[in-house]
Amino acid sequence: MAGTEHGEVEETLKRIEAHKGVIGTIVVNAKGIPIRTTLDNSTTVQYAGLLRHLTMMARSTVRDIDPQNDLICLRIRSKKHEIMVAPESDFLLIVIQNPCE
Amino acid sequence: MPLPNAAASMRKGSTVLKVTLPGVKSTKAASKKKDEEEGVDTGDGWDEWSHGKALKPPDQLELTEAELKEEVTRILTANNPHAPKNIVRYSFKERSYKPTSVVDQMAVHFVLEGSLLHQDSDEARRLRAREGLPDETATVDTGAEPDEDKPETPATPLEDGGDVEEAGEDDRPDSVASKTDRKEPKVTNQFNFSERASQTLNNPLRERSCQTEPPPRCIFSATANQWEIYDAYVEELQKQEINKEKQKAVTSKKENDKGKKKTMLMETQNDDNTKVGKASNIFERMVTQNTFDDIAQDFKYFEDASDEFRDQKGTLLPLWKFQYDKAKRLSVTALCWNKKYQDLFAVGMGSYDFSKQGRGMLVYYSMKNSAFPEYIYPTDSGVLCLDIHEQHSYLVAVGFYDGCVAVYNLKEEGLEPVYKSTAKTGKHTDPVWQVRWQNDDMDNNHNFYSVSSDGRVVSWTLVKNELVFTDIIRLSLNGAISEGPEGVQHPGIACGTSFDFHKQIDYLFLVGTEEGKIHKCSKTYSSQFLESYNAHSMAVDAVKWNHFHPKVFISCSSDWTVKIWDHTIITPMFTFDLNAAVGDVAWSPYSSTVFAAVTTDGTVHVFDLNINKYEAICQQPVVAKKKTKLTHIEFNPIYPIIIVGDDRGYVSSLKLSPNLRKKPKAKKGQEQPKGPEVEVAKMEKLLSLLREPEQNAV
């Protein structure tokens, strides 16, 4: 990937947010505080808190089975939309999309 | 007074007895009678409050005079009236309930446990033995004991008296004992003892204490999973390795420290979006996949079932469409798949229009993300051709409209090419139409070839930091005389527009020219062509060797034709007229007889010579607007996908339907033949039909 500098990542995140069907994106830092979000505060805090635990649990499961393995991404498909969570270096990236059929 | 009490109880008893079995009636009646008699007696006794009348309970039985006078004998037996008379036990032997004959009649009324022992009993003897009194001195003991007993028994109720008396009596048994010859140990009286105690002076208690600061506490919790243990081991291993390195060299240790300092600095800059860089890339792909979910499914799984009914013809299913905003006004001038990552392809953008020359772009797309390119390199001049190295797929050679060639390294961070040719280093004077990577030379330097309208085929070698060029061949117009203004005849320079290297024979290559000729050349002969073919009436846009058959190549031109050749024969084997200028043609990687061509009317033609030697088995327009011209086409090396570029900057991907991908049918019972030999054989069969018999003999 050409460059993971700040500008590139920023652009990628902007593109994701502008993509069709994407309801919101949240970036959560290592302390659990959302540092970037396109949703309102209460929803953001709720998502961040709940998904953090779930991701930790999923990661623990994957690594418990094979310690050399690691979780890349967790996708939760619900009736209304799809929540995608990726833990990366203690940060958490959350994208909520409504896959239009 | 016991009697009235008993009577009262009996009266009570009578009321209770009324509810018992009627068989006991006689005794009841008797008891009633007695009650009455006694009741009369007691009635006399309780004169004060009974008014002289007999007190009858209200529910007493009414009996006649005769019945009252009846004499009933009462027998005293030793039987326990409360003992049950009819105990029944289950006998397993007889499998039925049997009445027990003998019933215990003993009734215990009062039990009092005492601690007196008979002096001749076993226990007494044992006690005595323990206390040390021998049995022979029983007489003396009995003499002594009654002395002791006598004062003791009266002493027991009155303890105070006992104390005084005992003190005196203690002497007597002692004196008695001292009188006897044998020593008699004193037997302590377990009923009467004295306690002697004295109160000492208690020092007053003083409490002294000191309070310390409680150690700071924090709650620690952790889980012991397999991966935590693994992580701990890995950390330990790393520490050990670092220690080893430290021990080896001191200078390297210093560097480590510096490095650590740097990382420390970086960590303080937290809350950076860059941390989620990787994840955001993956997410972009996921989001795109969600939006274009049906396309992804089609790509992977859809096989057009209606091909069975289509009578050998096939179709192309449109999949993703790739476009980049900033490249909208440019046309696609080159396409190339990456051999290593088969979902990645490179698109060169520029302009074919002579008058509208501006900048260009080199853009990489991945099929996983159709929304945005993976790599973007803007260029000053329009890109006309590109080629990705087969082994080192991060190297791409690019040819420009201004005659330059450049090499980009995808692993490098910048947007500039790592190598670029300049006027000094032998760049072409005319647009570069085709570039191709070749095998590394003897010094293991990478090299590639380029062909241009200035008539030169040049080999470029990447030596350290620069591009070294070598003219391989100068294309000249064979036999043509160009009239210069001076009238001097000099050999004209042909303009090369395309070339292709033989897959197996390294030195052999073909060059197509603007005049419509194709020359077969060798890398080693720089002045002469091995062969020349009068291929087309207009410029040869593309010439490609067959992937399987070593003798066959295909060429296309703006003169509306596509021709297939056997390089040993001067005339073409097959000619196809496509009713529009053909922009590009490509062999399929899976079959030696399948190829596809694109025309400027926006149609893709797919041919399979094995099925139909004269017509295309698929002719499909793939662009929405009629005016869009298709410029290039490429087959994916492993997937049944073709990408088509047009002059509006779009790249469309299409899936080939099953009819277009047919493999030769196996005969029943035989195994499906596989491998390139089959393809070669297939082509050979076709060709042999066309060759003239004399040539066959040759």
Side-chain angles (χ1 to χ4, degrees), chain B residues 102-134:
Chain B
V102 178
V103 176
D104 194 16
Q105 301 290 339
M106 187 174 91
V108 176
H109 293 285
F110 176 70
V111 176
L112 173 66
E113 302 268 341
S115 53
L116 292 174
L117 297 168
H118 192 270
Q119 62 182 22
D120 291 329
S121 69
D122 284 333
E123 211 173 316
R125 282 203 201 106
R126 264 187 269 134
L127 252 179
R128 257 185 260 138
R130 212 187 309 148
E131 309 263 312
L133 287 170

Side-chain angles (χ1 to χ4, degrees), chain B residues 245-257:
Chain B
E245 283 174 18
K246 275 188 183 174
Q247 282 168 11
K248 274 182 188 171
V250 183
T251 46
S252 57
K253 184 189 175 188
K254 279 188 189 163
E255 279 172 327
N256 272 348
D257 286 336

Side-chain angles (χ1 to χ4, degrees), chain B residues 8-22 24 28 31-32 35 57 59-60 82:
Chain B
S9 62
M10 286 198 74
R11 222 182 288 135
K12 272 194 210 149
S14 68
T15 52
V16 171
L17 276 168
K18 263 203 191 144
V19 257
T20 53
L21 300 164
V24 203
K28 241 204 289 182
S31 59
K32 290 292 164 301
D35 270 353
D59 50 352
Q60 197 184 50
H82 293 295

Side-chain angles (χ1 to χ4, degrees), chain A residues 15 29 63-64 88 97, chain B residues 226 231 271 279 284 290 372:
Chain A
R15 281 204 304 274
N29 74 346
R63 293 207 73 204
D64 215 7
E88 197 184 324
Q97 187 191 19
Chain B
Q226 212 174 347
D231 276 349
D271 285 12
E284 197 186 353
N290 273 342
F372 199 75

Side-chain angles (χ1 to χ4, degrees), chain B residues 291-311:
Chain B
T291 316
F292 298 113
D293 184 43
D294 42 355
I295 296 180
Q297 301 283 337
D298 281 345
F299 158 71
K300 197 79 188 180
Y301 302 117
F302 180 71
E303 299 292 353
D304 201 348
S306 59
D307 260 12
E308 287 174 43
F309 313 109
R310 232 190 286 253
D311 187 33

Side-chain angles (χ1 to χ4, degrees), chain B residues 335-408:
Chain B
L335 288 173
C336 186
W337 284 100
N338 188 316
K339 301 287 177 300
K340 195 166 171 205
Y341 301 103
Q342 283 106 359
D343 60 288
L344 192 65
F345 62 91
V347 181
M349 315 202 90
S351 173
Y352 281 123
D353 202 339
F354 176 73
S355 45
K356 290 183 195 164
Q357 279 304 316
R359 43 174 196 92
M361 245 182 223
L362 172 63
V363 173
Y364 270 79
Y365 282 102
S366 165
M367 289 204 293
K368 296 175 191 170
N369 182 2
S370 59
F372 199 75
E374 303 290 319
Y375 298 93
I376 305 165
Y377 295 98
T379 59
D380 299 321
S381 154
V383 172
L384 275 186
C385 55
L386 58 89
D387 191 32
I388 298 178
H389 200 286
E390 277 200 28
Q391 282 88 40
H392 307 278
S393 54
Y394 52 88
L395 288 175
V396 57
V398 180
F400 295 100
Y401 199 90
D402 62 0
C404 287
V405 290
V407 176
Y408 285 86

Side-chain angles (χ1 to χ4, degrees), chain B residues 404-435:
Chain B
C404 287
V405 290
V407 176
Y408 285 86
N409 186 334
L410 294 183
K411 283 189 183 175
E412 298 283 326
E413 284 281 332
L415 292 175
E416 290 302 313
V418 287
Y419 299 95
K420 195 158 183 194
S421 70
T422 57
K424 280 189 231 166
T425 59
K427 82 172 182 74
H428 291 279
T429 49
D430 268 339
V432 179
W433 290 101
Q434 191 79 284
V435 284

